[in-house]
């Protein structure tokens, strides 16, 4: 009997239709093989976090995000770096998903972080910020070499990420994520 592939959820920190981060995640998703499948969740419809909205009735897009996270075995997040930090849209989505505190779908969820930038540092500062935010949500951020993608705009061709060396590095990190997922009781 065949085992079911693990379900990963990819979240891009960019809303752009030609987002390099989304291209990275799509390329990674296409290269996972039989060990896992990854679907992407777009953050375009997530409203700005507002506890009043949460108290009245959770917006449908937020409920869908939280359900997608809950149903996944692990997350793969790819964020741009804006002004030395992660994107506001990604931070906002994580703020929504982190509710209720200490009992959110992010609690104990294995997470692999990747960042990209057109600059030479590849989003390393955004990565540090993301790691801290996810720590506060009680997520289990994968301990592996950082995946930072410098000069990302030159590594996208026809909507696909084409840097084979980095793709292999990302696939090795997904192996780390899968090992972390399998240790969950």
């Amino acid at each position: 009997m065949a085992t079911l592939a693990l379900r990963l959820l990819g979240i891009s920190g960019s809303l752009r239709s030609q987002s390099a981060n989304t291209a990275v995640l799509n390329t990674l998703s296409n290269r996972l093989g039989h060990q896992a499948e990854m679907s992407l969740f777009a953050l375009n419809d997530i409203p700005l976090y507002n506890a009043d909205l949460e108290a009245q009735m959770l917006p449908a897009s937020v409920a869908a995000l939280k359900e997608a996270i809950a149903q996944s075995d692990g997350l793969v997040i790819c964020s741009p770096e804006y002004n030395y930090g992660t994107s506001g849209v990604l931070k906002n989505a994580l703020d929504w998903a982190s509710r209720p505190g200490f009992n959110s779908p992010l609690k104990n969820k294995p997470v692999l972080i990747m960042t990209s930038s057109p600059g030479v540092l590849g989003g390393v500062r955004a990565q540090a910020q993301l790691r801290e935010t996810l720590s506060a949500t009680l997520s289990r951020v994968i301990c592996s070499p950082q995946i930072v993608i410098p000069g990302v705009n030159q590594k996208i061709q026809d909507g696909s990420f084409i840097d084979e060396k980095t793709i292999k590095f990302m696939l090795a990190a997904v192996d780390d994520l899968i090992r972390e997922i399998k240790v969950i009781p």
Side-chain angles (χ1 to χ4, degrees):
M1 184 164 122
T3 59
L4 295 175
L6 294 173
R7 295 173 313 242
L8 303 179
L9 182 67
I11 300 176
S12 171
S14 175
L15 301 179
R16 288 186 322 110
S17 61
Q18 300 300 310
S19 164
N21 297 281
T22 304
V24 167
L25 288 170
N26 280 325
T27 299
L28 180 60
S29 177
N30 292 333
R31 296 285 296 271
L32 289 177
H34 66 280
Q35 63 184 345
E37 57 185 39
M38 183 167 65
S39 59
L40 271 57
F41 191 97
L43 301 178
N44 301 57
D45 296 327
I46 304 294
L48 291 175
Y49 178 74
N50 180 336
D52 292 341
L53 291 176
E54 184 179 38
Q56 294 167 7
M57 186 172 144
L58 198 62
S61 58
V62 173
L65 170 65
K66 292 172 75 165
E67 181 64 19
I69 292 169
Q71 294 301 314
S72 72
D73 296 306
L75 302 179
V76 180
I77 297 175
C78 191
S79 176
E81 182 174 280
Y82 297 155
N83 299 314
Y84 295 178
T86 191
S87 69
V89 68
L90 180 57
K91 174 66 168 77
N92 180 62
L94 293 173
D95 288 344
W96 272 113
S98 71
R99 308 284 300 149
F102 305 106
N103 195 27
S104 79
L106 289 171
K107 184 178 180 183
N108 293 320
K109 187 67 65 174
V111 181
L112 174 63
I113 301 171
M114 303 184 294
T115 54
S116 72
S117 171
V120 297
L121 297 180
V124 71
R125 295 165 294 209
Q127 184 136 159
Q129 191 179 67
L130 253 179
R131 191 170 296 277
E132 189 168 336
T133 295
L134 288 164
S135 174
T137 70
L138 306 178
S139 299
R140 291 176 27 220
V141 178
I142 301 309
C143 185
S144 66
Q146 289 184 330
I147 301 171
V148 294
I149 307 168
V152 70
N153 294 341
Q154 287 72 46
K155 299 172 181 177
I156 304 293
Q157 186 174 49
D158 298 323
S160 293
F161 183 68
I162 59 167
D163 182 357
E164 195 61 35
K165 183 177 175 184
T166 302
I167 292 169
K168 288 179 181 174
F169 191 65
M170 291 187 305
L171 289 169
V174 169
D175 288 342
D176 292 338
L177 174 62
I178 289 170
R179 277 191 290 280
E180 183 69 17
I181 290 168
K182 291 183 177 179
V183 301
I184 295 176

